[in-house]
Amino acid sequence: MVEMGSEREKNIENNGGLTAIDSIESRWVFQDEYDSDMDSGDHGTADGDEGSTPRNELELDSDDDDDNAMRKLIRTGPRIDSFDALELPGAQRNDFDDVSAGRKILLAFQTLGVVFGDVGTSPLYTFSVMFSKAPVNGNEDVLGALSLVLYTLILISLVKYVLIVLWANDDGEGGTFALYSLLCRHAKVNLLPNQLASDARVSGFRLKVPSPELERSLKIKERLEASLTLKKLLLMLVLAGTAMVIADGVVTPAMSVMSAVGGLRVGVSGVKQDQVVMISVAFLVILFSVQKYGTSKMGHFVGPALFIWFCSLGGIGVYNLIKYDSSVWKAFNPVHIYYYFKRNSTKAWYSLGGCILCATGSEAMFADLCYFSVRSVQLTFVFLVLPCLLLGYLGQAAYLMENHADTTQAFFSSVPSGVFWPVFLIANVAALIASRAMTTATFSCIKQSTALGCFPRLKIIHTSRKFMGQIYIPVMNWFLLALSLVMVCSISSIYEIGNAYGIAELGVMMMTTILVTIVMLLIWQINIIIVLSFVVILLGLELIFFSSVLWSVGDGSWIILVFAVVLFFIMYIWNYGSKLKYETEVKQKMSMDLLRELGPNLGTIRAPGIGLLYNELAKGIPAIFGHFLTTLPAVHSMIIFVCIKYIPVPVVPQNERFLFCRVCPRGYHIFRCIARYGYKDVRKENQQAFEQLLIESLEKFIRRDAQERSLESDGNDESDSEEEQAFSRVLVAPNGSVYSLGVPLLSDFKDTGKAVVEESISEELKPGPSSESLLSDAEQSFEKELSFLRKAKESGVVYLLGHGNIRARKSSWFIKKLFINYFYAFLRKNCRREIANLSVPHSHLMQVGMTYMV
């Protein structure tokens, strides 16, 4: 029997073990009654929403479970999935949804400089690269090439990215890893085994309950979760896409700046290519030097510049249409594409590598989505960017219809002589801005991949106090500059750079198409015909383009492929080593029985103070703690295991940040704290602020723990067994915190070898009727422990850092030894440590190293 917890939910049906729920006001998710997050019990959320209304709860028997475990349906807030972004009332997708209309217009204006610079400068080089591969032999060739460009721009930039892919955002966050995070949240496909059941209770998860209509989605989910091969393949696709995004960040500045500066050869006949290269190098150095000033500050400057550029594109296009040949409008008839391939055959196929350049920057619209809202990007593209681009290409084609020989610099040759130098100036400014588009996208992608354990940790600077998505990564900034300079100096031809550009763009485009297809099947659950149409048409089109650019890879564009492969292996080795290290630490964690045998003093001296032992384990006692016990002459009177854990959501609310539990009985004064962050969260806490926040949260935990003990004491006479009480009715708050109603603590179970963890509650509970003596004992116990905590805090806080390194065993394969002992060890030695964000003084640090053989 199912008992309803709310009158508003009236459409619950059981069918084949699946539950269909029809409600736009709330959602329900399954939660196993016997789920445990840490060793033996649920964590307590230290910072619950005070005064919040508990969720309703349904209990039902699952006939399918062998152990007859109870399952709960937990009611949450309205379901908002990624396809519903900005559609549901009150659904805040990112930082920009609660701003005024005027602010949205300003944001739309700023998107010109941050998001659309890359796609906006594509008219500088698209026709030049195309006609270098397939020279013009007649007006029909111009119409065919124009028709290819128009439909490529419409199908890939408009239909795929603006109308579809932008909706696959992860709470306003875009990019390859945002898609991966979205999939990790809906299916257990993350290879790092540090997931906790409590992660799903973070408000940002927004999962849906199964229903008969979602049978296909469930089968895909089960297949993904059961197959290690599919998980690895999915990760490799994500890493490949990320490598291509970073490679795109290298080739975009080189291509944009070189093509813009190359206009000098049209305006000044004596300028040589070497001089163009030197000027391009100077421009690139200036560009990357001002990157540190941030997206918001730079956006105020580059927005007006790009607005002038797009207006110039449209104006020149209209001028050329009127002056030369307005018959180019016929290119909207796709039959001219057929005639183009019929006339040129193989050369037309080669020219596809240049045609795809008209859609460069489309991925930046998605990857840079964290900087702006979906609506601002869509409105700006549809009503300003796309019309100006179409007019620009039509104008160039109209000029070329009467000037077949000017294809080497098609854009600048088509500019009227009276406005050449103003247009040249604004084109170079636009090219510099375009270079920033993929640079900012690269920063976003690296931050996401770092948080999800797929990229070595780097220093990240947040350039805006208001919008936390705006970041700057110094190391990557200068790294991209160095590689861009190498490309400009070694490959001086924009045709060869254009081919490399196409490889990088198409690589990330194909990965995005595959991941969005999985999102459609697993999360959106839309009609299979729509999904097949999406993947067959767009992926097929991109594969045709990719075959063209790969055929010309020997002309120097192979450099970008090598660079992407190197990046791929760096990320894969980092993920592989991190996964291996975590699994080894889990296997070698300390036994709880050993701590019990040592007693409350842990076999050593307990000195006054608090020791924060940083480790990566979300469960169990790390082996490094035993190393501290045997190495140090004394340990602190209070020990807190601190685990910094990133979960696959963009943001974790501050009131859901910390999870606490006791690791041992109260006399040991040992706790575990998991500090949860999303991949978009800003970690700017200094040492004092972090300590203060942690201690305050621990005080709340102890207070609620004492209240739960009073409830336990009150209910002892009414329960037949402790086990029956342990799984009595539970309420879950809207933020995912657990409320216990008469739930006993598990510390009294002496007959189990499992780790002892005591549950806590996350809300102030009114104690039930009990004797004054019981209340007095509980209050005395609480005050005593609180006093102990404050005295320990006054004695000082010391950060205990355990550096766990891994080495491959002698019997391991040579490749494993090479990856672990050399590559991964080098990356780990040179990456930024987690503790660096807190700026802890050396006098408060204590470090111990430990090596695991894997």
Side-chain angles (χ1 to χ4, degrees):
M1 176 177 290
V2 178
E3 298 179 0
M4 296 293 188
S6 171
E7 292 297 330
R8 288 175 294 181
E9 290 294 337
K10 297 181 178 180
N11 230 347
I12 300 181
E13 303 172 356
N14 284 334
N15 188 351
L18 298 176
T19 304
I21 294 178
D22 180 20
S23 174
I24 62 171
E25 293 189 357
S26 59
R27 65 182 173 92
W28 300 77
V29 295
F30 283 118
Q31 181 188 22
D32 290 339
E33 194 75 56
Y34 294 95
D35 261 352
S36 63
D37 293 343
M38 284 186 181
D39 305 326
S40 304
D42 282 339
H43 302 67
T45 304
D47 294 328
D49 284 340
E50 299 297 331
S52 60
T53 304
R55 294 178 186 173
N56 296 306
E57 173 253 355
L58 299 175
E59 295 184 358
L60 53 91
D61 292 322
S62 175
D63 297 329
D64 298 332
D65 294 341
D66 294 335
D67 55 358
N68 294 323
M70 300 276 292
R71 300 188 77 197
K72 300 196 311 281
L73 271 177
I74 304 171
R75 185 178 174 198
T76 68
R79 171 192 166 273
I80 308 171
D81 79 8
S82 58
F83 197 74
D84 298 325
L86 300 173
E87 292 295 328
L88 294 179
Q92 291 191 0
R93 301 302 299 173
N94 54 43
D95 302 324
F96 307 98
D97 295 334
D98 57 349
V99 297
S100 63
R103 181 61 178 161
K104 285 185 178 180
I105 294 174
L106 180 60
L107 286 172
F109 195 67
Q110 287 186 19
T111 59
L112 287 174
V114 178
V115 178
F116 298 113
D118 196 358
V119 71
T121 54
S122 60
L124 289 173
Y125 43 76
T126 298
F127 277 141
S128 297
V129 177
M130 283 189 73
F131 292 130
S132 71
K133 299 174 183 291
V136 177
N137 295 319
N139 287 347
E140 188 60 42
D141 289 343
V142 176
L143 285 176
L146 175 61
S147 187
L148 265 175
V149 168
L150 295 179
Y151 280 99
T152 301
L153 193 62
I154 291 171
L155 285 175
I156 293 182
S157 297
L158 177 62
V159 176
K160 177 186 172 181
Y161 279 94
V162 174
L163 299 183
I164 298 176
V165 173
L166 287 185
W167 291 117
N169 66 85
D170 187 15
D171 281 319
E173 196 81 5
T176 308
F177 263 94
L179 289 172
Y180 185 58
S181 170
L182 201 61
L183 294 174
C184 288
R185 207 157 66 240
H186 287 80
K188 298 178 181 178
V189 295
N190 194 342
L191 292 176
L192 193 64
N194 66 343
Q195 296 88 4
L196 299 174
S198 59
D199 294 344
R201 292 197 292 270
V202 173
S203 55
F205 258 70
R206 299 189 179 110
L207 303 183
K208 299 192 293 186
V209 68
S211 68
E213 291 77 13
L214 309 183
E215 184 176 354
R216 184 190 68 216
S217 173
L218 289 175
K219 289 181 179 179
I220 295 173
K221 178 177 181 291
E222 292 171 359
R223 184 69 182 272
L224 282 173
E225 293 179 346
S227 174
L228 182 61
T229 302
L230 290 178
K231 290 180 182 179
K232 290 183 177 179
L233 181 60
L234 180 62
L235 177 65
M236 291 174 70
L237 288 174
V238 172
L239 296 183
T242 305
M244 287 296 183
V245 169
I246 300 174
D248 210 352
V250 172
V251 73
T252 296
M255 184 66 181
S256 300
V257 173
M258 280 280 290
S259 58
V261 176
L264 277 175
R265 304 186 67 181
V266 176
V268 182
S269 58
V271 174
K272 298 180 180 179
Q273 183 63 26
D274 291 342
Q275 294 171 312
V276 171
V277 170
M278 294 306 296
I279 296 173
S280 299
V281 168
F283 278 6
L284 288 173
V285 172
I286 294 173
L287 167 72
F288 284 94
S289 297
V290 300
Q291 189 74 37
K292 62 183 178 181
Y293 294 108
T295 303
S296 180
K297 297 173 184 177
M298 295 299 297
H300 290 293
F301 167 73
V302 301
L306 258 295
F307 180 74
I308 297 172
W309 166 249
F310 281 111
C311 291
S312 300
L313 273 181
I316 294 172
V318 172
Y319 173 82
N320 288 332
L321 283 170
I322 296 173
K323 182 177 180 180
Y324 295 104
D325 192 345
S326 61
S327 65
V328 293
W329 290 100
K330 294 186 296 184
F332 281 101
N333 186 348
V335 72
H336 292 284
I337 298 176
Y338 167 74
Y339 294 147
Y340 180 67
F341 276 91
K342 185 178 179 180
R343 287 166 57 91
N344 297 279
S345 62
T346 305
K347 290 182 178 179
W349 178 61
Y350 287 154
S351 70
L352 291 177
C355 178
I356 191 61
L357 297 181
C358 70
T360 56
S362 299
E363 184 67 27
M365 289 189 291
F366 184 48
D368 283 330
L369 189 60
C370 61
Y371 295 92
F372 304 100
S373 67
V374 174
R375 289 299 189 200
S376 63
V377 174
Q378 289 179 322
L379 292 174
T380 307
F381 184 83
V382 172
F383 292 105
L384 177 62
V385 175
L386 183 61
C388 291
L389 287 175
L390 294 179
L391 286 173
Y393 286 117
L394 287 167
Q396 285 188 55
Y399 173 82
L400 292 175
M401 292 284 279
E402 297 185 7
N403 301 273
H404 294 170
D406 290 339
T407 56
T408 54
Q409 284 287 346
F411 174 78
F412 286 108
S413 298
S414 67
V415 175
S417 58
V419 295
F420 177 85
W421 290 111
V423 172
F424 172 79
L425 178 62
I426 195 64
N428 277 269
V429 173
L432 293 174
I433 295 169
S435 303
R436 297 186 69 258
M438 283 311 301
T439 305
T440 54
T442 300
F443 292 162
S444 299
C445 196
I446 289 174
K447 184 178 187 296
Q448 295 169 7
S449 58
T450 301
L452 295 176
C454 296
F455 202 93
R457 290 183 294 270
L458 301 173
K459 182 180 181 180
I460 297 176
I461 298 174
H462 296 267
T463 59
S464 174
R465 294 184 178 181
K466 183 174 183 181
F467 301 128
M468 57 185 166
Q470 300 182 5
I471 60 173
Y472 167 69
I473 305 178
V475 173
M476 285 305 303
N477 185 66
W478 302 119
F479 180 68
L480 294 177
L481 170 62
L483 291 175
S484 295
L485 294 180
V486 169
M487 179 159 285
V488 167
C489 296
S490 61
I491 309 177
S492 58
S493 170
I494 65 167
Y495 308 131
E496 296 179 6
I497 296 177
N499 199 65
Y501 202 2
I503 291 174
E505 281 286 339
L506 285 166
V508 68
M509 283 180 180
M510 290 188 294
M511 298 305 108
T512 299
T513 301
I514 295 172
L515 292 174
V516 171
T517 301
I518 300 175
V519 169
M520 286 179 169
L521 293 170
L522 182 65
I523 303 172
W524 293 352
Q525 294 114 18
I526 59 180
N527 192 289
I528 190 66
I529 296 179
I530 298 177
V531 178
L532 289 176
S533 301
F534 173 82
V535 69
V536 170
I537 295 174
L538 291 173
L539 186 59
L541 187 63
E542 289 162 357
L543 285 172
I544 293 173
F545 280 118
F546 196 61
S547 66
S548 174
V549 295
L550 281 183
W551 191 260
S552 305
V553 75
D555 61 5
S557 54
W558 57 269
I559 295 177
I560 206 67
L561 268 181
V562 172
F563 173 64
V565 170
V566 171
L567 279 174
F568 174 84
F569 276 105
I570 288 175
M571 291 185 288
Y572 186 81
I573 290 171
W574 179 262
N575 181 266
Y576 172 71
S578 300
K579 174 178 173 289
L580 207 59
K581 177 177 177 292
Y582 188 89
E583 290 175 343
T584 304
E585 289 181 342
V586 170
K587 291 178 183 177
Q588 299 189 16
K589 62 184 180 183
M590 289 184 64
S591 168
M592 181 61 65
D593 292 334
L594 176 60
L595 285 186
R596 288 198 185 115
E597 292 175 5
L598 292 176
N601 288 331
L602 302 177
T604 183
I605 300 173
R606 302 292 294 267
I610 297 177
L612 302 181
L613 197 156
Y614 276 76
N615 67 102
E616 298 179 4
L617 280 187
K619 301 179 181 180
I621 301 173
I624 199 75
F625 182 59
H627 206 40
F628 273 106
L629 292 178
T630 56
T631 304
L632 303 178
V635 294
H636 298 83
S637 57
M638 180 170 287
I639 299 292
I640 303 175
F641 299 130
V642 180
C643 172
I644 305 295
K645 184 174 184 292
Y646 286 92
I647 60 178
V649 294
V651 177
V652 175
Q654 188 69 27
N655 62 342
E656 301 175 30
R657 174 81 66 216
F658 293 103
L659 289 177
F660 279 94
C661 77
R662 294 185 190 273
V663 180
C664 293
R666 294 177 60 198
Y668 285 70
H669 301 294
I670 301 179
F671 301 87
R672 173 176 287 108
C673 168
I674 295 182
R676 302 182 294 183
Y677 292 87
Y679 57 79
K680 192 180 175 183
D681 273 323
V682 181
R683 291 186 55 200
K684 286 187 176 180
E685 312 101 333
N686 56 33
Q687 172 209 356
Q688 292 82 6
F690 184 82
E691 289 177 9
Q692 184 67 24
L693 187 60
L694 188 143
I695 297 302
E696 289 177 357
S697 301
L698 181 57
E699 288 182 359
K700 293 180 181 179
F701 171 83
I702 293 174
R703 180 180 297 109
R704 290 159 186 166
D705 183 27
Q707 293 172 338
E708 186 169 296
R709 285 180 175 276
S710 67
L711 288 175
E712 173 196 357
S713 301
D714 178 55
N716 279 341
D717 297 333
E718 300 176 3
S719 178
D720 295 333
S721 69
E722 290 173 331
E723 189 172 355
E724 289 177 359
Q725 272 194 325
F727 302 109
S728 59
R729 184 178 176 85
V730 175
L731 293 179
V732 184
N735 67 349
S737 305
V738 178
Y739 291 64
S740 298
L741 299 182
V743 178
L745 298 174
L746 303 179
S747 59
D748 296 327
F749 295 157
K750 303 295 185 180
D751 56 343
T752 178
K754 297 181 180 180
V756 178
V757 182
E758 300 179 356
E759 291 189 354
S760 71
I761 56 176
S762 300
E763 189 71 15
E764 298 287 346
L765 297 178
K766 297 180 180 180
S770 59
S771 64
E772 294 182 1
S773 59
L774 288 176
L775 285 177
S776 177
D777 291 342
E779 291 175 0
Q780 290 178 4
S781 175
F782 161 67
E783 292 296 337
K784 183 178 179 181
E785 188 166 16
L786 208 57
S787 175
F788 185 90
L789 170 63
R790 290 166 180 166
K791 289 181 180 178
K793 175 66 171 64
E794 292 174 359
S795 299
V797 177
V798 174
Y799 292 76
L800 309 174
L801 303 184
H803 299 301
N805 299 313
I806 57 175
R807 299 277 298 177
R809 299 180 186 275
K810 292 183 179 180
S811 58
S812 301
W813 290 88
F814 171 76
I815 297 297
K816 183 177 180 179
K817 291 180 180 177
L818 185 65
F819 280 7
I820 298 301
N821 296 350
Y822 296 97
F823 295 156
Y824 178 72
F826 174 81
L827 293 174
R828 189 168 179 84
K829 181 179 180 181
N830 291 277
C831 76
R832 186 176 175 86
R833 298 191 181 276
E834 285 281 0
I835 197 67
N837 287 322
L838 298 178
S839 302
V840 179
H842 290 289
S843 59
H844 289 209
L845 278 177
M846 190 175 296
Q847 305 184 55
V848 171
M850 188 172 183
T851 301
Y852 302 100
M853 302 303 295
V854 296

